[in-house]
Structures are given as C-alpha cells and as structure tokens.
Amino acid sequence: MSPTRIAIIAGEESGDRLGGALMSALSARRDITWFGVGGDDMVAAGLDPLFPLEEIAVNGFDAIVRRLPQLLARIAETAKAVAAFKPDVLIVIDAPEFNHRVAKRLRRALPDVPIVNYVSPTVWAWRPGRAKAMRPYVDLILALFPFEPAAHARLGGPKCVYVGHPLYEALRAGRDGSVGEALLVLPGSRRGEIDRLMPLFGEALARLAPEVPVRLLAVPRHRERIEAYVADWTVKPEILTGAEGKRTAFATARAALAASGTVTLELAAARVPMVVAYKLDFTYRQVKRLHRFIPIVTATSMVLANIVIGRNAIPAFLEDEATPEAIAGALEPLLRPGTPERDDQATAFDEFDAAMRVATSPSEQAADAVLDLLATRATR
C-alpha cells in the first residue's frame, strides 16, 4: 500500500505547534508522505518545508500591507506546489489570510482533493458571513471550542467537528487545586492594549486597595513600558515575566484582573476566578458603532468561558462599562473565600471542564477526524 500523501500548511507559530502534534498522531497510525509549510515542531514531525515559516508569519494589518507583494507571491507558489504534489488531503492550520487563498486555488486546480481547516475562524464572534463563504472550498473544520460546530451549522458553514483545545488540556493537567494568596493582573500582550488598560487597572486597584499581594504578568518586551505605568500606581505590584514567572503567577493567584483574550481561557482552565475588562482601539470602536446598524459582531461575551458554558458567569466590562469603580466592585468578593461570586465561578469552571473535555487528546481527535474524512472519500 502506497503512503498517504498529505499537504499541510501552518502560517504562524501557534499553528506550527498544532501541526506538529497532528502530524505525529497521524504518522503513528499510517505511512505518510508530508509536504507543505511549517516551523520547528512540524519539521521535527517529518516535514521538509517548502520555505521558512517566518516568511509568511506576519501579525497585524500594517505588517500584512507592508509585505503584501511577498505574501501574494508565496500564496501562488504554495498553491502551485501543493497541486503538483497531488495530495490525498490538504490541511490548512489557522492563518486564514494566507491559507484560505491557497485552499481556494487548490480547489480550482484539483476539485476532488478534500480540504481540512484546523482552527475555525471566529465566525461566531464577528463577520458571520465568513462561515457560508468557506463552504465551497473547505470540507471539514477541526474546531478548538465545543460551541463551534453548532455555530457553523447555524450559519451555513462547512461540516465542523470539535477536537479539543491543546492549551486548555495542558493547563487543566497542571493545576493542583490550591487557592493562591495573590491578585493577578494581566494587562495584555500588545502595546496598544497595554496603553489603554494600564491606567484603568491602576485606578481600579487604587479603589480596591487589596490586602493581598498583587502580581502583574508582563510580556518581556513590554516590561519597561509597564514599569513606567506602575510607577504612578498607588498599589505597587510585583512584576513577573517569562515562563517561570507565568507558572508562579498562575500557581499563586487567588483571583485575576485580565484583558480580554486567550488568557481568559488559561485562567478558566486553571480555575482562577476573574474579572475581565477591555478598551477597544480606534478601528474596533468604529466597528462597534457600525454594529448598531449592521450586525457585524455576534459574540454574546468577550470571555471565552462564558461563551462555552452559555451564560455570563464571569464579569466582563467593555469600553464605557469598564470603569475603576465597576472593576473594583466585581473583584472585591473574589478575593474573599466562600462568597457567592467565587462559588458561582467555581460552578462555571465545572461546566467549562465538562464542555471542553475530549475522550483522548486534541491531536488524536484531530487525527481521527482527518482519517474519517479520507475513509469516507475512499468509499465514494
């Protein structure tokens, strides 16, 4: 029996990690010839990349515009090379700006090759029309969140199966059940959100005047900027950075004040009660205003755990609602044991655990779904 030919493309480091784990799970089950684009994890799993991942791993609108000619050339090159490889299946991982353009070109060139999209675009949060637009060139979506299959079904998107979230599984496995002594502050990882949130968080802490230690987890490249803001705070946090700092921060957190984002998933997995706040940049403020007239944003919450469990158990304050008084008032009961607010979040974390859990591991679930698709195609 000849090897299965799989083309696989990751457009950034997070996708490379997913791709490496999926490749290992698939290679353990059958003989595979790999082709595509990826980074260190995918190379370690057996990929000889078409070109270095760094050439297409760009973040932010401005960066995409600056490198647009190079990116367009790489899209054309990648699609042509994948078509020449004649894969049994193409797997594209996240990075829709690059990967979906490759997928569309392959569908035109080789319409019988099934295409798998690993990591659903956030059609459930904004621009829901993207779900239906994917249907002509994506046969299967491997979703990281349990609510995404229903969202795609509702929006007319491709077939979608939940395979689990690797980050959640890793954090869930590492928690020890202890109650920490500190208030953890997480102001985000991007310069803009740090600039918007640090003054707000400082004022909220001043009103709260916590009796517990305060620790702030900073992205190393922004530490000096954060230290400059903290210099004006009346409550002085201990600033932690790096992997060891993150382990300490999460292990010792009794409650957290966090920017909206993936970190709220991490806190929920670690069962740290939290309050979430966010201030939008100029572009997203305009989107929010436009949403009054055109339904662009469809998410019921900016906290992933709230969306997963279907109720707003975790307090979240956006834009004008994000005031020092509101944040301090929501945080205060989370720092005291046995309060209804802490108990409600503990119940929410139980619900979150039950919804997110998968039978094996995310990579194994993803491998099952890919092989099921190939088996179905083989019987046609």
Side-chain angles (χ1 to χ4, degrees):
M1 184 176 180
S2 59
T4 301
R5 299 171 67 81
I6 298 182
I8 186 167
I9 305 168
E12 54 193 22
E13 289 184 8
S14 60
D16 175 56
R17 290 191 290 273
L18 290 172
L22 175 57
M23 287 174 65
S24 296
L26 285 167
S27 293
R29 304 186 191 193
R30 63 169 61 183
D31 187 16
I32 296 173
T33 299
W34 296 102
F35 182 84
V37 181
D40 292 345
D41 283 29
M42 292 168 66
V43 169
L47 181 70
D48 182 12
L50 186 61
F51 50 79
L53 177 64
E54 293 74 18
E55 294 192 15
I56 60 171
V58 295
N59 292 310
F61 179 78
D62 291 343
I64 291 174
V65 170
R66 286 195 304 271
R67 296 176 58 183
L68 188 59
Q70 178 188 2
L71 291 171
L72 291 175
R74 285 305 195 190
I75 288 167
E77 175 190 0
T78 303
K80 183 177 180 180
V82 170
F85 176 67
K86 293 184 171 58
D88 294 305
V89 62
L90 168 64
I91 303 170
V92 294
I93 308 174
D94 210 356
E97 293 81 5
F98 185 92
N99 279 330
H100 286 211
R101 286 169 172 81
V102 172
K104 289 175 184 177
R105 289 176 182 233
L106 183 70
R107 179 51 46 97
R108 291 194 294 268
L110 297 174
D112 292 333
V113 173
I115 297 175
V116 176
N117 186 116
Y118 195 177
V119 183
S120 171
T122 55
V123 296
W124 40 268
W126 76 302
R127 291 173 56 204
R130 291 178 294 167
K132 191 172 184 179
M134 292 170 63
R135 191 160 188 159
Y137 62 91
V138 171
D139 300 285
L140 177 66
I141 296 173
L142 307 179
L144 302 189
F145 295 104
F147 57 81
E148 290 178 314
H152 277 279
R154 184 178 70 253
L155 296 170
K159 179 182 178 182
C160 179
V161 297
Y162 172 58
V163 299
H165 200 300
L167 177 60
Y168 163 77
E169 289 294 330
L171 285 165
R172 184 176 70 86
R175 66 192 182 211
D176 61 10
S178 61
V179 177
E181 82 277 4
L183 170 59
L184 175 58
V185 179
L186 299 149
S189 59
R190 299 182 180 90
R191 175 174 172 168
E193 63 189 1
I194 289 169
D195 288 343
R196 294 190 297 274
L197 291 175
M198 283 295 287
L200 171 65
F201 284 8
E203 291 178 35
L205 291 177
R207 283 165 173 75
L208 181 63
E211 297 180 357
V212 300
V214 178
R215 298 192 173 108
L216 187 151
L217 186 60
V219 175
R221 68 180 179 274
H222 294 312
R223 176 164 187 149
E224 289 187 9
R225 193 170 198 85
I226 284 172
E227 287 175 341
Y229 278 112
V230 167
D232 295 329
W233 286 13
T234 57
V235 175
K236 304 293 185 185
E238 176 188 1
I239 298 176
L240 303 174
T241 59
E244 186 58 38
K246 186 172 185 176
R247 280 191 289 271
T248 299
F250 274 71
T252 61
R254 179 179 300 181
L257 169 59
S260 175
T262 304
V263 73
T264 65
L265 172 72
E266 298 179 81
L267 291 168
R271 300 184 68 91
V272 177
M274 73 189 93
V275 171
V276 179
Y278 207 73
K279 293 282 189 179
L280 300 171
D281 62 16
F282 175 80
T283 300
Y284 283 102
R285 284 200 303 273
Q286 305 318 304
V287 170
K288 186 172 183 287
R289 292 191 179 101
L290 184 60
H291 178 67
R292 299 174 187 172
F293 309 101
I294 303 173
I296 301 171
V297 181
T298 57
T300 55
S301 174
M302 62 178 175
V303 182
L304 288 167
N306 283 345
I307 300 173
V308 168
I309 67 174
R311 65 186 183 91
N312 291 331
I314 296 167
F317 303 99
L318 177 65
E319 281 296 283
D320 294 341
E321 295 176 353
T323 65
E325 295 80 9
I327 293 169
L331 271 174
E332 190 276 333
L334 298 182
L335 294 173
R336 293 183 285 111
T339 60
E341 291 83 358
R342 276 191 72 92
D343 290 345
D344 188 43
Q345 290 207 30
T347 300
F349 296 149
D350 290 339
E351 297 169 16
F352 183 69
D353 268 343
M356 293 289 290
R357 191 174 295 123
V358 292
T360 53
S361 71
S363 58
E364 294 290 336
Q365 299 284 133
D368 286 343
V370 172
L371 295 177
D372 286 348
L373 175 65
L374 285 172
T376 301
R377 287 300 180 105
T379 59
R380 288 184 179 180

